[in-house]
């Protein structure tokens, strides 16, 4: 595990119990899954490279494009799923034929940290439900690439 992965894990723990709030990204106040990763990114690199456009809860089904994967590729480092380690970001398809629309932090080999719809930022077991939907993995860069 590298220093960035350790820092990601430390920051993800800070966000635990933050209430779920669509489009939000404020530790302790509210966030969605993207907001959690945006908040971690801000803490690691001092800012965000771009502000996300407004999006509905059903944006992936409506647009049918891999918007989340494209954004992750722009600001994180894509790695093979088999190389994912704690501190990496995982993308999920909520339906096997739909674009990715959920993102989580791998916290341990069998645990993910994510903003859970209707609840909060939680640690969940990385059970077969999530494993079947896991589509892509990304590592945070050693240095923010928006500078």
């Amino acid at each position: 595990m590298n220093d960035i992965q350790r820092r990601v894990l430390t920051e993800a723990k800070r966000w635990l119990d933050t209430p779920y709030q669509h489009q939000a990204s404020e530790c302790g106040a509210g966030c969605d899954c993207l907001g959690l990763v945006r908040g971690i990114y801000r803490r690691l690199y001092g800012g965000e490279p771009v502000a996300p456009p407004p999006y509905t809860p059903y944006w992936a089904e409506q647009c049918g494009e891999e918007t989340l994967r494209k954004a992750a590729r722009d600001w994180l480092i894509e790695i093979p799923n088999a190389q994912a380690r704690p501190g990496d970001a995982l993308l999920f398809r909520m339906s096997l034929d739909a674009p990715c629309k959920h993102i989580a932090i791998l916290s341990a080999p069998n645990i993910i940290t994510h903003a859970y719809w209707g609840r909060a930022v939680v640690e969940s077991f990385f059970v077969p439900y999530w494993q079947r939907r896991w589509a892509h993995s990304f590592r945070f860069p050693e240095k923010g690439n928006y500078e």
Side-chain angles (χ1 to χ4, degrees):
M1 180 181 314
N2 67 32
D3 181 57
I4 292 292
Q5 289 165 315
R6 279 190 287 282
R7 291 176 61 203
V8 167
L9 293 174
T10 298
E11 186 60 19
K13 285 219 179 279
R14 249 182 24 89
W15 285 72
L16 289 174
D17 298 324
T18 296
Y20 183 91
Q21 178 65 47
H22 178 66
Q23 292 190 23
S25 182
E26 186 67 38
C27 185
C31 71
D32 59 12
C33 64
L34 178 59
L36 168 65
V37 174
R38 289 175 50 219
I40 292 169
Y41 195 97
R42 284 194 307 271
R43 186 74 166 209
L44 293 176
Y45 308 114
E48 290 184 71
V50 295
Y55 53 93
T56 70
Y58 306 103
W59 62 269
E61 295 85 354
Q62 292 167 337
C63 77
E65 297 175 15
E66 289 286 358
T67 308
L68 185 59
R69 184 179 186 198
K70 181 192 178 309
R73 280 180 164 168
D74 286 346
W75 309 111
L76 303 174
I77 301 162
E78 190 162 19
I79 58 172
N81 287 356
Q83 292 180 16
R85 301 291 178 263
D88 292 336
L90 311 182
L91 269 61
F92 299 90
R93 299 181 193 288
M94 300 315 292
S95 298
L96 299 180
D97 60 344
C100 294
K101 72 176 274 185
H102 188 65
I103 189 166
I105 301 298
L106 185 63
S107 301
N110 65 338
I111 305 251
I112 56 175
T113 301
H114 56 140
Y116 202 85
W117 180 282
R119 293 189 58 206
V121 176
V122 297
E123 290 183 321
S124 298
F125 285 108
F126 194 19
V127 296
Y129 174 89
W130 289 113
Q131 292 169 8
R132 283 191 304 273
R133 289 161 175 77
W134 179 21
H136 306 285
S137 300
F138 292 85
R139 187 154 290 153
F140 286 78
E142 290 296 317
K143 180 179 179 188
N145 53 357
Y146 65 93
E147 301 176 274

